[in-house]
PDB file of all heavy atoms in Angstrom:
ATOM      1  N   VAL A   5       0.848  -1.186  -0.001  1.00  0.00           N
ATOM      2  CA  VAL A   5       0.000   0.000   0.000  1.00  0.00           C
ATOM      3  C   VAL A   5       0.891   1.246   0.000  1.00  0.00           C
ATOM      4  O   VAL A   5       1.736   1.419   0.879  1.00  0.00           O
ATOM      5  CB  VAL A   5      -0.929   0.019   1.234  1.00  0.00           C
ATOM      6  CG1 VAL A   5      -1.710   1.328   1.324  1.00  0.00           C
ATOM      7  CG2 VAL A   5      -1.871  -1.178   1.211  1.00  0.00           C
ATOM      8  N   ASP A   6       0.715   2.105  -0.999  1.00  0.00           N
ATOM      9  CA  ASP A   6       1.428   3.368  -1.100  1.00  0.00           C
ATOM     10  C   ASP A   6       0.414   4.504  -1.086  1.00  0.00           C
ATOM     11  O   ASP A   6      -0.718   4.330  -1.534  1.00  0.00           O
ATOM     12  CB  ASP A   6       2.237   3.441  -2.403  1.00  0.00           C
ATOM     13  CG  ASP A   6       3.465   2.541  -2.389  1.00  0.00           C
ATOM     14  OD1 ASP A   6       4.006   2.292  -1.304  1.00  0.00           O
ATOM     15  OD2 ASP A   6       3.872   2.109  -3.472  1.00  0.00           O
ATOM     16  N   PHE A   7       0.824   5.673  -0.597  1.00  0.00           N
ATOM     17  CA  PHE A   7      -0.133   6.782  -0.548  1.00  0.00           C
ATOM     18  C   PHE A   7       0.498   8.180  -0.525  1.00  0.00           C
ATOM     19  O   PHE A   7      -0.189   9.167  -0.721  1.00  0.00           O
ATOM     20  CB  PHE A   7      -1.070   6.644   0.657  1.00  0.00           C
ATOM     21  CG  PHE A   7      -0.359   6.641   1.980  1.00  0.00           C
ATOM     22  CD1 PHE A   7      -0.195   7.815   2.701  1.00  0.00           C
ATOM     23  CD2 PHE A   7       0.141   5.462   2.498  1.00  0.00           C
ATOM     24  CE1 PHE A   7       0.464   7.805   3.914  1.00  0.00           C
ATOM     25  CE2 PHE A   7       0.805   5.444   3.705  1.00  0.00           C
ATOM     26  CZ  PHE A   7       0.964   6.627   4.422  1.00  0.00           C
ATOM     27  N   LEU A   8       1.788   8.308  -0.276  1.00  0.00           N
ATOM     28  CA  LEU A   8       2.425   9.630  -0.243  1.00  0.00           C
ATOM     29  C   LEU A   8       2.790  10.014  -1.672  1.00  0.00           C
ATOM     30  O   LEU A   8       3.610   9.358  -2.316  1.00  0.00           O
ATOM     31  CB  LEU A   8       3.656   9.610   0.657  1.00  0.00           C
ATOM     32  CG  LEU A   8       3.380   9.274   2.124  1.00  0.00           C
ATOM     33  CD1 LEU A   8       4.680   9.089   2.884  1.00  0.00           C
ATOM     34  CD2 LEU A   8       2.517  10.335   2.773  1.00  0.00           C
ATOM     35  N   ASP A   9       2.180  11.072  -2.158  1.00  0.00           N
ATOM     36  CA  ASP A   9       2.254  11.422  -3.575  1.00  0.00           C
ATOM     37  C   ASP A   9       2.753  12.859  -3.730  1.00  0.00           C
ATOM     38  O   ASP A   9       1.986  13.810  -3.609  1.00  0.00           O
ATOM     39  CB  ASP A   9       0.853  11.263  -4.178  1.00  0.00           C
ATOM     40  CG  ASP A   9       0.783  11.477  -5.666  1.00  0.00           C
ATOM     41  OD1 ASP A   9       1.828  11.697  -6.308  1.00  0.00           O
ATOM     42  OD2 ASP A   9      -0.348  11.422  -6.197  1.00  0.00           O
ATOM     43  N   PHE A  10       4.073  13.016  -3.995  1.00  0.00           N
ATOM     44  CA  PHE A  10       4.662  14.331  -4.236  1.00  0.00           C
ATOM     45  C   PHE A  10       4.600  14.633  -5.724  1.00  0.00           C
ATOM     46  O   PHE A  10       5.434  14.168  -6.492  1.00  0.00           O
ATOM     47  CB  PHE A  10       6.109  14.382  -3.730  1.00  0.00           C
ATOM     48  CG  PHE A  10       6.200  14.499  -2.244  1.00  0.00           C
ATOM     49  CD1 PHE A  10       6.362  13.371  -1.451  1.00  0.00           C
ATOM     50  CD2 PHE A  10       6.110  15.741  -1.631  1.00  0.00           C
ATOM     51  CE1 PHE A  10       6.438  13.473  -0.078  1.00  0.00           C
ATOM     52  CE2 PHE A  10       6.189  15.854  -0.263  1.00  0.00           C
ATOM     53  CZ  PHE A  10       6.353  14.721   0.521  1.00  0.00           C
ATOM     54  N   ARG A  11       3.623  15.400  -6.110  1.00  0.00           N
ATOM     55  CA  ARG A  11       3.394  15.669  -7.531  1.00  0.00           C
ATOM     56  C   ARG A  11       4.273  16.792  -8.069  1.00  0.00           C
ATOM     57  O   ARG A  11       4.467  16.880  -9.279  1.00  0.00           O
ATOM     58  CB  ARG A  11       1.926  15.995  -7.761  1.00  0.00           C
ATOM     59  CG  ARG A  11       1.062  14.789  -7.491  1.00  0.00           C
ATOM     60  CD  ARG A  11      -0.365  15.035  -7.779  1.00  0.00           C
ATOM     61  NE  ARG A  11      -1.109  13.794  -7.577  1.00  0.00           N
ATOM     62  CZ  ARG A  11      -2.356  13.637  -7.920  1.00  0.00           C
ATOM     63  NH1 ARG A  11      -3.022  14.627  -8.468  1.00  0.00           N
ATOM     64  NH2 ARG A  11      -2.952  12.486  -7.705  1.00  0.00           N
ATOM     65  N   LEU A  12       4.768  17.651  -7.211  1.00  0.00           N
ATOM     66  CA  LEU A  12       5.580  18.769  -7.672  1.00  0.00           C
ATOM     67  C   LEU A  12       6.808  18.277  -8.432  1.00  0.00           C
ATOM     68  O   LEU A  12       7.208  18.865  -9.425  1.00  0.00           O
ATOM     69  CB  LEU A  12       6.008  19.636  -6.482  1.00  0.00           C
ATOM     70  CG  LEU A  12       6.822  20.876  -6.820  1.00  0.00           C
ATOM     71  CD1 LEU A  12       5.971  21.864  -7.623  1.00  0.00           C
ATOM     72  CD2 LEU A  12       7.339  21.534  -5.559  1.00  0.00           C
ATOM     73  N   ILE A  13       7.383  17.172  -7.967  1.00  0.00           N
ATOM     74  CA  ILE A  13       8.578  16.631  -8.616  1.00  0.00           C
ATOM     75  C   ILE A  13       8.290  15.339  -9.379  1.00  0.00           C
ATOM     76  O   ILE A  13       9.190  14.659  -9.807  1.00  0.00           O
ATOM     77  CB  ILE A  13       9.706  16.398  -7.579  1.00  0.00           C
ATOM     78  CG1 ILE A  13       9.239  15.457  -6.463  1.00  0.00           C
ATOM     79  CG2 ILE A  13      10.208  17.705  -7.018  1.00  0.00           C
ATOM     80  CD1 ILE A  13      10.325  15.058  -5.492  1.00  0.00           C
ATOM     81  N   HIS A  14       7.008  14.986  -9.519  1.00  0.00           N
ATOM     82  CA  HIS A  14       6.590  13.791 -10.245  1.00  0.00           C
ATOM     83  C   HIS A  14       7.319  12.550  -9.735  1.00  0.00           C
ATOM     84  O   HIS A  14       7.877  11.764 -10.509  1.00  0.00           O
ATOM     85  CB  HIS A  14       6.793  13.956 -11.755  1.00  0.00           C
ATOM     86  CG  HIS A  14       6.055  15.119 -12.306  1.00  0.00           C
ATOM     87  ND1 HIS A  14       4.689  15.134 -12.434  1.00  0.00           N
ATOM     88  CD2 HIS A  14       6.485  16.331 -12.741  1.00  0.00           C
ATOM     89  CE1 HIS A  14       4.314  16.298 -12.934  1.00  0.00           C
ATOM     90  NE2 HIS A  14       5.387  17.044 -13.123  1.00  0.00           N
ATOM     91  N   PHE A  15       7.331  12.398  -8.424  1.00  0.00           N
ATOM     92  CA  PHE A  15       7.997  11.268  -7.789  1.00  0.00           C
ATOM     93  C   PHE A  15       7.027  10.104  -7.671  1.00  0.00           C
ATOM     94  O   PHE A  15       5.811  10.288  -7.650  1.00  0.00           O
ATOM     95  CB  PHE A  15       8.488  11.698  -6.394  1.00  0.00           C
ATOM     96  CG  PHE A  15       9.536  10.812  -5.820  1.00  0.00           C
ATOM     97  CD1 PHE A  15      10.832  10.832  -6.297  1.00  0.00           C
ATOM     98  CD2 PHE A  15       9.225   9.929  -4.800  1.00  0.00           C
ATOM     99  CE1 PHE A  15      11.803  10.003  -5.787  1.00  0.00           C
ATOM    100  CE2 PHE A  15      10.190   9.095  -4.266  1.00  0.00           C
ATOM    101  CZ  PHE A  15      11.479   9.132  -4.760  1.00  0.00           C
ATOM    102  N   ALA A  16       7.537   8.889  -7.568  1.00  0.00           N
ATOM    103  CA  ALA A  16       6.697   7.711  -7.396  1.00  0.00           C
ATOM    104  C   ALA A  16       5.937   7.814  -6.074  1.00  0.00           C
ATOM    105  O   ALA A  16       6.450   8.335  -5.080  1.00  0.00           O
ATOM    106  CB  ALA A  16       7.551   6.452  -7.399  1.00  0.00           C
ATOM    107  N   VAL A  17       4.715   7.303  -6.047  1.00  0.00           N
ATOM    108  CA  VAL A  17       3.929   7.262  -4.813  1.00  0.00           C
ATOM    109  C   VAL A  17       4.594   6.241  -3.892  1.00  0.00           C
ATOM    110  O   VAL A  17       5.002   5.162  -4.337  1.00  0.00           O
ATOM    111  CB  VAL A  17       2.468   6.888  -5.114  1.00  0.00           C
ATOM    112  CG1 VAL A  17       1.638   6.833  -3.839  1.00  0.00           C
ATOM    113  CG2 VAL A  17       1.855   7.878  -6.109  1.00  0.00           C
ATOM    114  N   PHE A  18       4.724   6.576  -2.608  1.00  0.00           N
ATOM    115  CA  PHE A  18       5.410   5.697  -1.664  1.00  0.00           C
ATOM    116  C   PHE A  18       4.685   5.711  -0.323  1.00  0.00           C
ATOM    117  O   PHE A  18       3.586   6.255  -0.211  1.00  0.00           O
ATOM    118  CB  PHE A  18       6.882   6.095  -1.526  1.00  0.00           C
ATOM    119  CG  PHE A  18       7.117   7.499  -1.029  1.00  0.00           C
ATOM    120  CD1 PHE A  18       7.462   7.733   0.295  1.00  0.00           C
ATOM    121  CD2 PHE A  18       7.006   8.588  -1.879  1.00  0.00           C
ATOM    122  CE1 PHE A  18       7.684   9.024   0.760  1.00  0.00           C
ATOM    123  CE2 PHE A  18       7.233   9.871  -1.431  1.00  0.00           C
ATOM    124  CZ  PHE A  18       7.567  10.093  -0.101  1.00  0.00           C
ATOM    125  N   ASN A  19       5.262   5.084   0.696  1.00  0.00           N
ATOM    126  CA  ASN A  19       4.627   4.986   2.007  1.00  0.00           C
ATOM    127  C   ASN A  19       5.642   5.300   3.098  1.00  0.00           C
ATOM    128  O   ASN A  19       6.812   5.573   2.822  1.00  0.00           O
ATOM    129  CB  ASN A  19       3.990   3.607   2.190  1.00  0.00           C
ATOM    130  CG  ASN A  19       4.999   2.485   2.042  1.00  0.00           C
ATOM    131  OD1 ASN A  19       6.090   2.531   2.598  1.00  0.00           O
ATOM    132  ND2 ASN A  19       4.637   1.466   1.277  1.00  0.00           N
ATOM    133  N   LEU A  20       5.193   5.252   4.356  1.00  0.00           N
ATOM    134  CA  LEU A  20       6.094   5.563   5.457  1.00  0.00           C
ATOM    135  C   LEU A  20       7.203   4.529   5.598  1.00  0.00           C
ATOM    136  O   LEU A  20       8.318   4.871   5.992  1.00  0.00           O
ATOM    137  CB  LEU A  20       5.320   5.692   6.770  1.00  0.00           C
ATOM    138  CG  LEU A  20       4.460   6.940   6.924  1.00  0.00           C
ATOM    139  CD1 LEU A  20       3.829   6.990   8.316  1.00  0.00           C
ATOM    140  CD2 LEU A  20       5.237   8.207   6.672  1.00  0.00           C
ATOM    141  N   ALA A  21       6.926   3.261   5.289  1.00  0.00           N
ATOM    142  CA  ALA A  21       7.981   2.243   5.370  1.00  0.00           C
ATOM    143  C   ALA A  21       9.129   2.600   4.434  1.00  0.00           C
ATOM    144  O   ALA A  21      10.302   2.525   4.821  1.00  0.00           O
ATOM    145  CB  ALA A  21       7.418   0.864   5.020  1.00  0.00           C
ATOM    146  N   ASP A  22       8.801   3.019   3.217  1.00  0.00           N
ATOM    147  CA  ASP A  22       9.836   3.437   2.264  1.00  0.00           C
ATOM    148  C   ASP A  22      10.617   4.621   2.811  1.00  0.00           C
ATOM    149  O   ASP A  22      11.845   4.681   2.704  1.00  0.00           O
ATOM    150  CB  ASP A  22       9.199   3.840   0.932  1.00  0.00           C
ATOM    151  CG  ASP A  22       8.412   2.722   0.280  1.00  0.00           C
ATOM    152  OD1 ASP A  22       8.759   1.548   0.484  1.00  0.00           O
ATOM    153  OD2 ASP A  22       7.438   3.034  -0.431  1.00  0.00           O
ATOM    154  N   MET A  23       9.888   5.582   3.397  1.00  0.00           N
ATOM    155  CA  MET A  23      10.537   6.758   3.956  1.00  0.00           C
ATOM    156  C   MET A  23      11.478   6.368   5.100  1.00  0.00           C
ATOM    157  O   MET A  23      12.614   6.832   5.153  1.00  0.00           O
ATOM    158  CB  MET A  23       9.482   7.740   4.473  1.00  0.00           C
ATOM    159  CG  MET A  23      10.063   9.052   4.954  1.00  0.00           C
ATOM    160  SD  MET A  23       8.826  10.090   5.725  1.00  0.00           S
ATOM    161  CE  MET A  23       8.571   9.212   7.252  1.00  0.00           C
ATOM    162  N   PHE A  24      11.013   5.471   5.980  1.00  0.00           N
ATOM    163  CA  PHE A  24      11.866   5.058   7.104  1.00  0.00           C
ATOM    164  C   PHE A  24      13.102   4.298   6.630  1.00  0.00           C
ATOM    165  O   PHE A  24      14.177   4.442   7.215  1.00  0.00           O
ATOM    166  CB  PHE A  24      11.072   4.227   8.114  1.00  0.00           C
ATOM    167  CG  PHE A  24      10.178   5.064   8.982  1.00  0.00           C
ATOM    168  CD1 PHE A  24       8.822   4.841   9.014  1.00  0.00           C
ATOM    169  CD2 PHE A  24      10.698   6.075   9.782  1.00  0.00           C
ATOM    170  CE1 PHE A  24       7.993   5.614   9.824  1.00  0.00           C
ATOM    171  CE2 PHE A  24       9.885   6.851  10.591  1.00  0.00           C
ATOM    172  CZ  PHE A  24       8.520   6.618  10.614  1.00  0.00           C
ATOM    173  N   ILE A  25      12.977   3.497   5.590  1.00  0.00           N
ATOM    174  CA  ILE A  25      14.143   2.801   5.054  1.00  0.00           C
ATOM    175  C   ILE A  25      15.177   3.817   4.567  1.00  0.00           C
ATOM    176  O   ILE A  25      16.374   3.690   4.848  1.00  0.00           O
ATOM    177  CB  ILE A  25      13.729   1.827   3.929  1.00  0.00           C
ATOM    178  CG1 ILE A  25      12.960   0.640   4.528  1.00  0.00           C
ATOM    179  CG2 ILE A  25      14.946   1.352   3.128  1.00  0.00           C
ATOM    180  CD1 ILE A  25      12.259  -0.236   3.507  1.00  0.00           C
ATOM    181  N   ASN A  26      14.724   4.841   3.884  1.00  0.00           N
ATOM    182  CA  ASN A  26      15.651   5.875   3.401  1.00  0.00           C
ATOM    183  C   ASN A  26      16.239   6.696   4.537  1.00  0.00           C
ATOM    184  O   ASN A  26      17.432   7.012   4.520  1.00  0.00           O
ATOM    185  CB  ASN A  26      14.950   6.768   2.371  1.00  0.00           C
ATOM    186  CG  ASN A  26      14.810   6.058   1.044  1.00  0.00           C
ATOM    187  OD1 ASN A  26      15.782   5.881   0.339  1.00  0.00           O
ATOM    188  ND2 ASN A  26      13.608   5.640   0.731  1.00  0.00           N
ATOM    189  N   VAL A  27      15.440   7.043   5.534  1.00  0.00           N
ATOM    190  CA  VAL A  27      15.957   7.759   6.702  1.00  0.00           C
ATOM    191  C   VAL A  27      17.000   6.891   7.413  1.00  0.00           C
ATOM    192  O   VAL A  27      18.050   7.375   7.836  1.00  0.00           O
ATOM    193  CB  VAL A  27      14.811   8.161   7.655  1.00  0.00           C
ATOM    194  CG1 VAL A  27      15.334   8.623   9.007  1.00  0.00           C
ATOM    195  CG2 VAL A  27      13.946   9.243   7.020  1.00  0.00           C
ATOM    196  N   GLY A  28      16.729   5.593   7.498  1.00  0.00           N
ATOM    197  CA  GLY A  28      17.689   4.674   8.111  1.00  0.00           C
ATOM    198  C   GLY A  28      19.011   4.641   7.361  1.00  0.00           C
ATOM    199  O   GLY A  28      20.083   4.615   7.967  1.00  0.00           O
ATOM    200  N   MET A  29      18.938   4.671   6.047  1.00  0.00           N
ATOM    201  CA  MET A  29      20.173   4.678   5.249  1.00  0.00           C
ATOM    202  C   MET A  29      20.960   5.961   5.478  1.00  0.00           C
ATOM    203  O   MET A  29      22.190   5.931   5.580  1.00  0.00           O
ATOM    204  CB  MET A  29      19.830   4.476   3.771  1.00  0.00           C
ATOM    205  CG  MET A  29      19.253   3.106   3.494  1.00  0.00           C
ATOM    206  SD  MET A  29      18.517   2.973   1.873  1.00  0.00           S
ATOM    207  CE  MET A  29      19.898   2.361   0.953  1.00  0.00           C
ATOM    208  N   VAL A  30      20.269   7.086   5.601  1.00  0.00           N
ATOM    209  CA  VAL A  30      20.942   8.346   5.897  1.00  0.00           C
ATOM    210  C   VAL A  30      21.605   8.279   7.276  1.00  0.00           C
ATOM    211  O   VAL A  30      22.753   8.714   7.448  1.00  0.00           O
ATOM    212  CB  VAL A  30      19.956   9.540   5.801  1.00  0.00           C
ATOM    213  CG1 VAL A  30      20.572  10.816   6.371  1.00  0.00           C
ATOM    214  CG2 VAL A  30      19.521   9.746   4.357  1.00  0.00           C
ATOM    215  N   CYS A  31      20.911   7.716   8.252  1.00  0.00           N
ATOM    216  CA  CYS A  31      21.493   7.555   9.591  1.00  0.00           C
ATOM    217  C   CYS A  31      22.760   6.703   9.544  1.00  0.00           C
ATOM    218  O   CYS A  31      23.752   7.018  10.216  1.00  0.00           O
ATOM    219  CB  CYS A  31      20.484   6.927  10.553  1.00  0.00           C
ATOM    220  SG  CYS A  31      19.108   7.993  11.000  1.00  0.00           S
ATOM    221  N   LEU A  32      22.744   5.628   8.761  1.00  0.00           N
ATOM    222  CA  LEU A  32      23.929   4.781   8.647  1.00  0.00           C
ATOM    223  C   LEU A  32      25.070   5.513   7.948  1.00  0.00           C
ATOM    224  O   LEU A  32      26.241   5.336   8.329  1.00  0.00           O
ATOM    225  CB  LEU A  32      23.599   3.481   7.913  1.00  0.00           C
ATOM    226  CG  LEU A  32      22.707   2.512   8.673  1.00  0.00           C
ATOM    227  CD1 LEU A  32      22.395   1.282   7.812  1.00  0.00           C
ATOM    228  CD2 LEU A  32      23.340   2.089   9.993  1.00  0.00           C
ATOM    229  N   LEU A  33      24.760   6.342   6.968  1.00  0.00           N
ATOM    230  CA  LEU A  33      25.810   7.156   6.329  1.00  0.00           C
ATOM    231  C   LEU A  33      26.409   8.149   7.328  1.00  0.00           C
ATOM    232  O   LEU A  33      27.633   8.335   7.361  1.00  0.00           O
ATOM    233  CB  LEU A  33      25.245   7.914   5.123  1.00  0.00           C
ATOM    234  CG  LEU A  33      25.018   7.076   3.872  1.00  0.00           C
ATOM    235  CD1 LEU A  33      24.280   7.894   2.811  1.00  0.00           C
ATOM    236  CD2 LEU A  33      26.340   6.556   3.325  1.00  0.00           C
ATOM    237  N   ILE A  34      25.566   8.762   8.141  1.00  0.00           N
ATOM    238  CA  ILE A  34      26.069   9.673   9.178  1.00  0.00           C
ATOM    239  C   ILE A  34      26.973   8.922  10.137  1.00  0.00           C
ATOM    240  O   ILE A  34      28.063   9.386  10.483  1.00  0.00           O
ATOM    241  CB  ILE A  34      24.896  10.349   9.924  1.00  0.00           C
ATOM    242  CG1 ILE A  34      24.179  11.332   8.989  1.00  0.00           C
ATOM    243  CG2 ILE A  34      25.389  11.057  11.186  1.00  0.00           C
ATOM    244  CD1 ILE A  34      22.861  11.856   9.520  1.00  0.00           C
ATOM    245  N   ALA A  35      26.541   7.728  10.566  1.00  0.00           N
ATOM    246  CA  ALA A  35      27.361   6.917  11.474  1.00  0.00           C
ATOM    247  C   ALA A  35      28.698   6.573  10.841  1.00  0.00           C
ATOM    248  O   ALA A  35      29.743   6.638  11.490  1.00  0.00           O
ATOM    249  CB  ALA A  35      26.612   5.640  11.857  1.00  0.00           C
ATOM    250  N   TRP A  36      28.661   6.217   9.568  1.00  0.00           N
ATOM    251  CA  TRP A  36      29.884   5.839   8.870  1.00  0.00           C
ATOM    252  C   TRP A  36      30.847   7.014   8.781  1.00  0.00           C
ATOM    253  O   TRP A  36      32.030   6.889   9.086  1.00  0.00           O
ATOM    254  CB  TRP A  36      29.552   5.289   7.486  1.00  0.00           C
ATOM    255  CG  TRP A  36      30.741   4.740   6.781  1.00  0.00           C
ATOM    256  CD1 TRP A  36      31.360   3.554   7.032  1.00  0.00           C
ATOM    257  CD2 TRP A  36      31.457   5.358   5.717  1.00  0.00           C
ATOM    258  NE1 TRP A  36      32.426   3.389   6.181  1.00  0.00           N
ATOM    259  CE2 TRP A  36      32.507   4.489   5.363  1.00  0.00           C
ATOM    260  CE3 TRP A  36      31.316   6.548   5.022  1.00  0.00           C
ATOM    261  CZ2 TRP A  36      33.407   4.772   4.346  1.00  0.00           C
ATOM    262  CZ3 TRP A  36      32.209   6.831   4.015  1.00  0.00           C
ATOM    263  CH2 TRP A  36      33.245   5.955   3.684  1.00  0.00           C
ATOM    264  N   PHE A  37      30.341   8.178   8.373  1.00  0.00           N
ATOM    265  CA  PHE A  37      31.203   9.355   8.273  1.00  0.00           C
ATOM    266  C   PHE A  37      31.663   9.829   9.649  1.00  0.00           C
ATOM    267  O   PHE A  37      32.788  10.273   9.815  1.00  0.00           O
ATOM    268  CB  PHE A  37      30.496  10.506   7.535  1.00  0.00           C
ATOM    269  CG  PHE A  37      30.476  10.300   6.047  1.00  0.00           C
ATOM    270  CD1 PHE A  37      29.281  10.074   5.382  1.00  0.00           C
ATOM    271  CD2 PHE A  37      31.644  10.311   5.305  1.00  0.00           C
ATOM    272  CE1 PHE A  37      29.255   9.884   4.013  1.00  0.00           C
ATOM    273  CE2 PHE A  37      31.634  10.120   3.928  1.00  0.00           C
ATOM    274  CZ  PHE A  37      30.431   9.908   3.282  1.00  0.00           C
ATOM    275  N   TRP A  38      30.791   9.724  10.632  1.00  0.00           N
ATOM    276  CA  TRP A  38      31.121  10.159  11.992  1.00  0.00           C
ATOM    277  C   TRP A  38      32.251   9.312  12.578  1.00  0.00           C
ATOM    278  O   TRP A  38      33.093   9.808  13.304  1.00  0.00           O
ATOM    279  CB  TRP A  38      29.870  10.046  12.863  1.00  0.00           C
ATOM    280  CG  TRP A  38      30.021  10.653  14.212  1.00  0.00           C
ATOM    281  CD1 TRP A  38      30.534  10.056  15.330  1.00  0.00           C
ATOM    282  CD2 TRP A  38      29.671  11.971  14.605  1.00  0.00           C
ATOM    283  NE1 TRP A  38      30.500  10.915  16.388  1.00  0.00           N
ATOM    284  CE2 TRP A  38      29.977  12.117  15.965  1.00  0.00           C
ATOM    285  CE3 TRP A  38      29.118  13.061  13.926  1.00  0.00           C
ATOM    286  CZ2 TRP A  38      29.765  13.283  16.659  1.00  0.00           C
ATOM    287  CZ3 TRP A  38      28.888  14.213  14.626  1.00  0.00           C
ATOM    288  CH2 TRP A  38      29.222  14.317  15.975  1.00  0.00           C
ATOM    289  N   ASN A  39      32.243   8.030  12.248  1.00  0.00           N
ATOM    290  CA  ASN A  39      33.220   7.102  12.817  1.00  0.00           C
ATOM    291  C   ASN A  39      34.492   6.970  11.983  1.00  0.00           C
ATOM    292  O   ASN A  39      35.353   6.152  12.305  1.00  0.00           O
ATOM    293  CB  ASN A  39      32.593   5.726  13.025  1.00  0.00           C
ATOM    294  CG  ASN A  39      31.543   5.756  14.111  1.00  0.00           C
ATOM    295  OD1 ASN A  39      31.679   6.476  15.099  1.00  0.00           O
ATOM    296  ND2 ASN A  39      30.480   4.991  13.928  1.00  0.00           N
ATOM    297  N   GLN A  40      34.608   7.736  10.905  1.00  0.00           N
ATOM    298  CA  GLN A  40      35.823   7.681  10.093  1.00  0.00           C
ATOM    299  C   GLN A  40      36.981   8.297  10.869  1.00  0.00           C
ATOM    300  O   GLN A  40      36.822   9.312  11.541  1.00  0.00           O
ATOM    301  CB  GLN A  40      35.624   8.452   8.779  1.00  0.00           C
ATOM    302  CG  GLN A  40      34.713   7.753   7.805  1.00  0.00           C
ATOM    303  CD  GLN A  40      35.284   6.430   7.374  1.00  0.00           C
ATOM    304  OE1 GLN A  40      36.393   6.339   6.878  1.00  0.00           O
ATOM    305  NE2 GLN A  40      34.502   5.387   7.557  1.00  0.00           N
TER     306      GLN A  40
END
């Protein structure tokens, strides 16, 4: 089930799970750079 629809940039419709996966990846990148 997808429902978040950003039409201004014609992005694919997505959901909070997709958003959290991407936020998680950003957090891991921060951790990686922080621990360098």
Side-chain angles (χ1 to χ4, degrees):
V5 174
D6 288 331
F7 60 94
L8 298 172
D9 185 3
F10 284 95
R11 294 183 176 190
L12 182 66
I13 57 174
H14 302 288
F15 198 74
V17 180
F18 60 101
N19 58 46
L20 288 184
D22 301 330
M23 185 187 73
F24 283 122
I25 289 168
N26 285 288
V27 167
M29 294 167 93
V30 169
C31 290
L32 290 177
L33 284 172
I34 291 169
W36 187 75
F37 283 113
W38 189 274
N39 292 325
Q40 288 297 304

